[in-house]
Amino acid sequence: MSRVRLPLAALSLASVSALVLAGCSQNSDSSSSGSDTSASAAAATGKKPAPFSKGTVKVALVRQSGAGDYFEQWGNGAKAQAKALGIDLTTYDAQADNAKEATDLSSAINSGAQAIIIDHGFPDTLKSEIDQAVKKGIKVVVYDLDVDNKSVVHTEQDDASMAQAVLDVMAKSVGKNAKVGYVNVAGYAALDARDKVWQKEVAAEGWKQQFKVGKVTDSTATDNVPLVSAALTQHSDIAGVFAPYDELAKGTVLAVQNKNLQDKVKVFGADVSNADIQNMTAKDSPWVATAGTDPSAVGAAVVRTAALELAGQLNKTSVEFPAVAITQDFLRKNKIENMDELRTALPELNLSKVSTADWIANVAH
């Protein structure tokens, strides 16, 4: 979601974000191991501070990753940046199991990690372990996760800017007082933030919301097809649907196509990935706009944020990554087929100046 702030967005997002959630079991990605990404690192010029000046630094990444390639790209960016920094990165992924994520976090605390990055999750599930980590002197950086411990560094997509960017496009496309549909799920921080912008825009544009459906599962796109299809059966006269997480948007696209409404109903999503680009540019796709960040760049920036925190150089408690609007017309006009081409066409996606220093070998994507 990327996105989205999901255990999503969560998801991307961005997705969402960066969201629910499928992953893999614990694995270790040491500084000597490679990751299958197209990233390269710009050489560092400054002297490394402690603890990086003393050798390999142990960091744990505790995740609730989601369906789709957004989370894979996020993880690849994190791994590539960790390698460039000389970080021994151990990754845990709870696969949508909240209890397992809490257990994973406990394992990370006892692993000797000097810092822990938490990528999505539910605050209530993780609060006690996060507090324990802080008490033990472990630096904690969270991504798309709302926790109230003042020692924790928060990183996130700017979900309000993401929703606003795509809804500005939607407003121009469907006009005022239009009948619209909504596909979203409450209870996920990223999606709740995007929902606030949606509610504001509905009122400002005089839109008539005909339905709200949606759920997040380990097969979000597939599981939302019947929900949206049923809603479209009753409300086939809507002009557009807002689905602010790319897996929700994918399911909405399939439902619109199944109902043969792609010439009448436009889909507006959130988050962006290779699969999203292919979906938007496909023939007769109703997905006309999204907004997002580059998941690989975000993953790398979160690791850099943790590195600065470990070195005592961050001097802030939160870091936000701004989103960029991306339209179907832009993708088709520029013949963009993947994230590499999108990064070239939209340099605003580059986060190389976020959370960096002269001693950091900055990963470029």
Side-chain angles (χ1 to χ4, degrees), residues 229-273:
S229 293
L232 289 172
T233 298
Q234 298 182 40
H235 304 285
S236 61
D237 58 342
I238 61 171
V241 181
F242 183 44
Y245 165 33
D246 56 355
E247 294 302 307
L248 293 174
K250 290 175 186 176
T252 302
V253 166
L254 287 171
V256 170
Q257 291 172 329
N258 287 347
K259 289 296 180 180
N260 199 30
L261 293 171
Q262 58 267 28
D263 294 333
K264 299 179 180 179
V265 179
K266 298 176 180 178
V267 177
F268 301 84
D271 307 311
V272 63
S273 68

Short mmCIF file of all heavy atoms in Angstrom, two decimals, residues 229-273:
data_model
loop_
_atom_site.label_atom_id
_atom_site.label_comp_id
_atom_site.label_asym_id
_atom_site.label_seq_id
_atom_site.Cartn_x
_atom_site.Cartn_y
_atom_site.Cartn_z
N SER A 229 -17.73 -6.62 -7.65
CA SER A 229 -18.67 -7.04 -8.70
C SER A 229 -20.11 -6.94 -8.22
O SER A 229 -20.99 -6.46 -8.94
CB SER A 229 -18.37 -8.48 -9.13
OG SER A 229 -17.11 -8.56 -9.77
N ALA A 230 -20.37 -7.38 -7.00
CA ALA A 230 -21.72 -7.30 -6.45
C ALA A 230 -22.17 -5.85 -6.32
O ALA A 230 -23.33 -5.50 -6.61
CB ALA A 230 -21.77 -7.99 -5.09
N ALA A 231 -21.24 -4.97 -5.89
CA ALA A 231 -21.58 -3.55 -5.76
C ALA A 231 -21.87 -2.94 -7.12
O ALA A 231 -22.80 -2.13 -7.27
CB ALA A 231 -20.45 -2.81 -5.07
N LEU A 232 -21.11 -3.33 -8.13
CA LEU A 232 -21.31 -2.79 -9.48
C LEU A 232 -22.61 -3.31 -10.10
O LEU A 232 -23.20 -2.63 -10.95
CB LEU A 232 -20.12 -3.15 -10.37
CG LEU A 232 -18.81 -2.43 -10.06
CD1 LEU A 232 -17.67 -3.02 -10.88
CD2 LEU A 232 -18.93 -0.93 -10.32
N THR A 233 -23.04 -4.48 -9.71
CA THR A 233 -24.31 -5.00 -10.21
C THR A 233 -25.46 -4.06 -9.81
O THR A 233 -26.39 -3.82 -10.59
CB THR A 233 -24.57 -6.41 -9.65
OG1 THR A 233 -23.54 -7.29 -10.11
CG2 THR A 233 -25.92 -6.94 -10.09
N GLN A 234 -25.37 -3.52 -8.61
CA GLN A 234 -26.41 -2.62 -8.11
C GLN A 234 -26.18 -1.16 -8.52
O GLN A 234 -27.12 -0.37 -8.56
CB GLN A 234 -26.47 -2.70 -6.59
CG GLN A 234 -26.83 -4.09 -6.05
CD GLN A 234 -26.93 -4.10 -4.54
OE1 GLN A 234 -27.44 -3.16 -3.93
NE2 GLN A 234 -26.42 -5.15 -3.92
N HIS A 235 -24.93 -0.82 -8.82
CA HIS A 235 -24.60 0.59 -9.09
C HIS A 235 -23.71 0.69 -10.33
O HIS A 235 -22.59 1.19 -10.27
CB HIS A 235 -23.89 1.20 -7.88
CG HIS A 235 -24.66 1.09 -6.61
ND1 HIS A 235 -25.75 1.88 -6.32
CD2 HIS A 235 -24.49 0.25 -5.55
CE1 HIS A 235 -26.23 1.55 -5.13
NE2 HIS A 235 -25.49 0.57 -4.64
N SER A 236 -24.21 0.27 -11.45
CA SER A 236 -23.43 0.27 -12.68
C SER A 236 -23.33 1.66 -13.31
O SER A 236 -22.60 1.85 -14.29
CB SER A 236 -24.05 -0.69 -13.70
OG SER A 236 -25.38 -0.28 -14.02
N ASP A 237 -24.02 2.65 -12.73
CA ASP A 237 -24.02 3.99 -13.31
C ASP A 237 -23.00 4.92 -12.67
O ASP A 237 -23.02 6.13 -12.90
CB ASP A 237 -25.42 4.61 -13.20
CG ASP A 237 -25.91 4.70 -11.75
OD1 ASP A 237 -25.34 3.99 -10.89
OD2 ASP A 237 -26.86 5.46 -11.50
N ILE A 238 -22.09 4.38 -11.86
CA ILE A 238 -21.08 5.25 -11.25
C ILE A 238 -20.04 5.66 -12.30
O ILE A 238 -19.83 4.99 -13.31
CB ILE A 238 -20.38 4.56 -10.06
CG1 ILE A 238 -19.65 3.29 -10.52
CG2 ILE A 238 -21.37 4.26 -8.95
CD1 ILE A 238 -18.76 2.69 -9.45
N ALA A 239 -19.37 6.80 -12.03
CA ALA A 239 -18.36 7.30 -12.96
C ALA A 239 -16.96 6.83 -12.60
O ALA A 239 -16.09 6.72 -13.47
CB ALA A 239 -18.41 8.83 -12.97
N GLY A 240 -16.72 6.58 -11.31
CA GLY A 240 -15.38 6.18 -10.91
C GLY A 240 -15.37 5.50 -9.56
O GLY A 240 -16.32 5.60 -8.79
N VAL A 241 -14.27 4.79 -9.30
CA VAL A 241 -14.08 4.10 -8.01
C VAL A 241 -12.70 4.46 -7.48
O VAL A 241 -11.71 4.41 -8.22
CB VAL A 241 -14.17 2.57 -8.17
CG1 VAL A 241 -13.98 1.89 -6.81
CG2 VAL A 241 -15.49 2.15 -8.79
N PHE A 242 -12.64 4.82 -6.20
CA PHE A 242 -11.36 5.06 -5.55
C PHE A 242 -11.02 3.85 -4.70
O PHE A 242 -11.77 3.45 -3.83
CB PHE A 242 -11.46 6.30 -4.67
CG PHE A 242 -10.15 6.69 -4.00
CD1 PHE A 242 -8.96 6.68 -4.69
CD2 PHE A 242 -10.13 7.08 -2.66
CE1 PHE A 242 -7.76 7.05 -4.08
CE2 PHE A 242 -8.95 7.45 -2.03
CZ PHE A 242 -7.76 7.43 -2.74
N ALA A 243 -9.86 3.25 -4.99
CA ALA A 243 -9.37 2.07 -4.27
C ALA A 243 -7.93 2.36 -3.84
O ALA A 243 -6.99 2.06 -4.58
CB ALA A 243 -9.44 0.83 -5.15
N PRO A 244 -7.72 2.94 -2.65
CA PRO A 244 -6.43 3.51 -2.28
C PRO A 244 -5.37 2.54 -1.76
O PRO A 244 -4.68 2.83 -0.77
CB PRO A 244 -6.83 4.52 -1.20
CG PRO A 244 -8.02 3.91 -0.55
CD PRO A 244 -8.77 3.23 -1.67
N TYR A 245 -5.23 1.42 -2.41
CA TYR A 245 -4.17 0.44 -2.14
C TYR A 245 -4.11 -0.40 -3.41
O TYR A 245 -5.14 -0.82 -3.92
CB TYR A 245 -4.52 -0.37 -0.90
CG TYR A 245 -3.76 -1.65 -0.66
CD1 TYR A 245 -2.43 -1.80 -1.04
CD2 TYR A 245 -4.37 -2.73 -0.02
CE1 TYR A 245 -1.74 -2.98 -0.80
CE2 TYR A 245 -3.69 -3.91 0.24
CZ TYR A 245 -2.38 -4.03 -0.15
OH TYR A 245 -1.71 -5.20 0.09
N ASP A 246 -2.92 -0.64 -3.92
CA ASP A 246 -2.86 -1.22 -5.26
C ASP A 246 -3.49 -2.60 -5.37
O ASP A 246 -4.07 -2.95 -6.40
CB ASP A 246 -1.43 -1.23 -5.83
CG ASP A 246 -0.42 -1.93 -4.94
OD1 ASP A 246 -0.76 -2.36 -3.82
OD2 ASP A 246 0.74 -2.04 -5.38
N GLU A 247 -3.45 -3.40 -4.31
CA GLU A 247 -4.11 -4.70 -4.39
C GLU A 247 -5.64 -4.54 -4.44
O GLU A 247 -6.34 -5.29 -5.11
CB GLU A 247 -3.70 -5.58 -3.21
CG GLU A 247 -2.23 -5.98 -3.24
CD GLU A 247 -1.84 -6.71 -4.51
OE1 GLU A 247 -2.50 -7.71 -4.85
OE2 GLU A 247 -0.88 -6.28 -5.18
N LEU A 248 -6.17 -3.54 -3.72
CA LEU A 248 -7.59 -3.24 -3.82
C LEU A 248 -7.92 -2.74 -5.22
O LEU A 248 -8.97 -3.08 -5.79
CB LEU A 248 -7.99 -2.18 -2.79
CG LEU A 248 -7.91 -2.57 -1.32
CD1 LEU A 248 -8.18 -1.36 -0.43
CD2 LEU A 248 -8.89 -3.70 -0.99
N ALA A 249 -7.04 -1.94 -5.79
CA ALA A 249 -7.26 -1.42 -7.14
C ALA A 249 -7.25 -2.54 -8.18
O ALA A 249 -8.07 -2.55 -9.10
CB ALA A 249 -6.20 -0.38 -7.48
N LYS A 250 -6.35 -3.50 -8.01
CA LYS A 250 -6.29 -4.62 -8.96
C LYS A 250 -7.60 -5.41 -8.94
O LYS A 250 -8.12 -5.79 -10.00
CB LYS A 250 -5.12 -5.54 -8.62
CG LYS A 250 -3.74 -4.96 -8.88
CD LYS A 250 -2.67 -5.92 -8.38
CE LYS A 250 -1.29 -5.32 -8.49
NZ LYS A 250 -0.25 -6.21 -7.91
N GLY A 251 -8.11 -5.67 -7.74
CA GLY A 251 -9.38 -6.38 -7.65
C GLY A 251 -10.52 -5.59 -8.25
O GLY A 251 -11.41 -6.14 -8.90
N THR A 252 -10.49 -4.27 -8.05
CA THR A 252 -11.52 -3.41 -8.62
C THR A 252 -11.47 -3.41 -10.14
O THR A 252 -12.51 -3.47 -10.81
CB THR A 252 -11.35 -1.97 -8.09
OG1 THR A 252 -11.42 -1.98 -6.66
CG2 THR A 252 -12.42 -1.05 -8.64
N VAL A 253 -10.27 -3.36 -10.69
CA VAL A 253 -10.10 -3.41 -12.15
C VAL A 253 -10.71 -4.69 -12.72
O VAL A 253 -11.45 -4.67 -13.72
CB VAL A 253 -8.61 -3.32 -12.53
CG1 VAL A 253 -8.38 -3.71 -13.99
CG2 VAL A 253 -8.10 -1.90 -12.28
N LEU A 254 -10.42 -5.81 -12.09
CA LEU A 254 -10.96 -7.09 -12.56
C LEU A 254 -12.49 -7.10 -12.49
O LEU A 254 -13.16 -7.60 -13.41
CB LEU A 254 -10.39 -8.24 -11.75
CG LEU A 254 -8.93 -8.60 -12.02
CD1 LEU A 254 -8.43 -9.62 -10.99
CD2 LEU A 254 -8.77 -9.17 -13.43
N ALA A 255 -13.04 -6.55 -11.43
CA ALA A 255 -14.49 -6.51 -11.28
C ALA A 255 -15.13 -5.64 -12.35
O ALA A 255 -16.15 -6.02 -12.95
CB ALA A 255 -14.85 -6.00 -9.89
N VAL A 256 -14.53 -4.48 -12.61
CA VAL A 256 -15.06 -3.59 -13.66
C VAL A 256 -15.02 -4.27 -15.02
O VAL A 256 -15.98 -4.20 -15.80
CB VAL A 256 -14.25 -2.28 -13.69
CG1 VAL A 256 -14.61 -1.45 -14.92
CG2 VAL A 256 -14.50 -1.46 -12.42
N GLN A 257 -13.93 -4.97 -15.29
CA GLN A 257 -13.81 -5.67 -16.57
C GLN A 257 -14.78 -6.85 -16.65
O GLN A 257 -15.37 -7.10 -17.71
CB GLN A 257 -12.37 -6.14 -16.77
CG GLN A 257 -11.41 -4.98 -16.99
CD GLN A 257 -9.95 -5.42 -17.00
OE1 GLN A 257 -9.58 -6.39 -16.32
NE2 GLN A 257 -9.14 -4.72 -17.76
N ASN A 258 -14.95 -7.56 -15.54
CA ASN A 258 -15.90 -8.68 -15.53
C ASN A 258 -17.32 -8.22 -15.81
O ASN A 258 -18.13 -8.95 -16.41
CB ASN A 258 -15.85 -9.40 -14.18
CG ASN A 258 -14.59 -10.23 -14.00
OD1 ASN A 258 -13.86 -10.47 -14.95
ND2 ASN A 258 -14.33 -10.65 -12.77
N LYS A 259 -17.63 -7.00 -15.39
CA LYS A 259 -18.96 -6.44 -15.62
C LYS A 259 -19.04 -5.68 -16.95
O LYS A 259 -20.07 -5.10 -17.27
CB LYS A 259 -19.33 -5.50 -14.46
CG LYS A 259 -19.62 -6.22 -13.15
CD LYS A 259 -20.84 -7.11 -13.28
CE LYS A 259 -21.14 -7.85 -12.01
NZ LYS A 259 -22.35 -8.72 -12.15
N ASN A 260 -17.93 -5.71 -17.69
CA ASN A 260 -17.86 -5.05 -19.00
C ASN A 260 -18.19 -3.56 -18.88
O ASN A 260 -18.86 -2.98 -19.75
CB ASN A 260 -18.80 -5.72 -20.00
CG ASN A 260 -18.43 -5.39 -21.44
OD1 ASN A 260 -17.27 -5.16 -21.77
ND2 ASN A 260 -19.42 -5.35 -22.31
N LEU A 261 -17.66 -2.93 -17.82
CA LEU A 261 -17.92 -1.51 -17.58
C LEU A 261 -16.67 -0.65 -17.78
O LEU A 261 -16.65 0.52 -17.40
CB LEU A 261 -18.44 -1.32 -16.16
CG LEU A 261 -19.83 -1.90 -15.84
CD1 LEU A 261 -20.10 -1.83 -14.35
CD2 LEU A 261 -20.90 -1.18 -16.64
N GLN A 262 -15.63 -1.21 -18.38
CA GLN A 262 -14.37 -0.49 -18.49
C GLN A 262 -14.45 0.79 -19.32
O GLN A 262 -13.61 1.68 -19.18
CB GLN A 262 -13.26 -1.39 -19.05
CG GLN A 262 -13.56 -1.98 -20.41
CD GLN A 262 -14.19 -3.35 -20.31
OE1 GLN A 262 -14.87 -3.67 -19.33
NE2 GLN A 262 -13.96 -4.19 -21.31
N ASP A 263 -15.46 0.91 -20.17
CA ASP A 263 -15.64 2.14 -20.94
C ASP A 263 -16.44 3.19 -20.18
O ASP A 263 -16.56 4.33 -20.64
CB ASP A 263 -16.34 1.84 -22.27
CG ASP A 263 -15.49 0.99 -23.21
OD1 ASP A 263 -14.25 1.07 -23.09
OD2 ASP A 263 -16.06 0.25 -24.02
N LYS A 264 -16.99 2.81 -19.03
CA LYS A 264 -17.86 3.73 -18.28
C LYS A 264 -17.32 4.05 -16.89
O LYS A 264 -17.52 5.15 -16.40
CB LYS A 264 -19.25 3.12 -18.14
CG LYS A 264 -19.97 2.86 -19.46
CD LYS A 264 -21.33 2.23 -19.21
CE LYS A 264 -22.07 1.95 -20.52
NZ LYS A 264 -23.40 1.30 -20.28
N VAL A 265 -16.66 3.09 -16.26
CA VAL A 265 -16.22 3.24 -14.87
C VAL A 265 -14.69 3.33 -14.82
O VAL A 265 -14.00 2.42 -15.28
CB VAL A 265 -16.69 2.07 -14.00
CG1 VAL A 265 -16.19 2.25 -12.56
CG2 VAL A 265 -18.21 1.97 -14.02
N LYS A 266 -14.18 4.42 -14.27
CA LYS A 266 -12.74 4.61 -14.16
C LYS A 266 -12.28 4.26 -12.74
O LYS A 266 -12.96 4.54 -11.77
CB LYS A 266 -12.38 6.07 -14.47
CG LYS A 266 -12.74 6.49 -15.90
CD LYS A 266 -12.46 7.96 -16.12
CE LYS A 266 -12.83 8.36 -17.55
NZ LYS A 266 -12.60 9.81 -17.80
N VAL A 267 -11.10 3.66 -12.67
CA VAL A 267 -10.54 3.24 -11.39
C VAL A 267 -9.37 4.16 -11.02
O VAL A 267 -8.50 4.42 -11.86
CB VAL A 267 -10.08 1.78 -11.42
CG1 VAL A 267 -9.43 1.38 -10.10
CG2 VAL A 267 -11.26 0.85 -11.74
N PHE A 268 -9.35 4.60 -9.78
CA PHE A 268 -8.28 5.45 -9.27
C PHE A 268 -7.67 4.76 -8.06
O PHE A 268 -8.36 4.48 -7.08
CB PHE A 268 -8.85 6.82 -8.89
CG PHE A 268 -9.51 7.53 -10.04
CD1 PHE A 268 -10.83 7.24 -10.37
CD2 PHE A 268 -8.80 8.42 -10.83
CE1 PHE A 268 -11.44 7.86 -11.45
CE2 PHE A 268 -9.40 9.05 -11.91
CZ PHE A 268 -10.72 8.77 -12.23
N GLY A 269 -6.39 4.42 -8.15
CA GLY A 269 -5.75 3.62 -7.11
C GLY A 269 -4.73 4.39 -6.30
O GLY A 269 -4.72 5.62 -6.26
N ALA A 270 -3.84 3.65 -5.65
CA ALA A 270 -2.73 4.23 -4.92
C ALA A 270 -1.62 3.18 -4.89
O ALA A 270 -1.90 1.98 -5.00
CB ALA A 270 -3.12 4.63 -3.51
N ASP A 271 -0.38 3.65 -4.75
CA ASP A 271 0.83 2.81 -4.81
C ASP A 271 1.19 2.53 -6.27
O ASP A 271 0.35 2.65 -7.16
CB ASP A 271 0.67 1.50 -4.03
CG ASP A 271 0.21 1.73 -2.59
OD1 ASP A 271 0.82 2.57 -1.93
OD2 ASP A 271 -0.75 1.06 -2.16
N VAL A 272 2.44 2.12 -6.47
CA VAL A 272 2.87 1.81 -7.83
C VAL A 272 3.97 0.76 -7.77
O VAL A 272 4.80 0.75 -6.86
CB VAL A 272 3.38 3.08 -8.56
CG1 VAL A 272 4.61 3.68 -7.88
CG2 VAL A 272 3.64 2.81 -10.03
N SER A 273 3.95 -0.15 -8.72
CA SER A 273 4.94 -1.22 -8.83
C SER A 273 4.98 -1.67 -10.27
O SER A 273 4.21 -1.19 -11.12
CB SER A 273 4.56 -2.40 -7.93
OG SER A 273 3.38 -3.04 -8.42
#
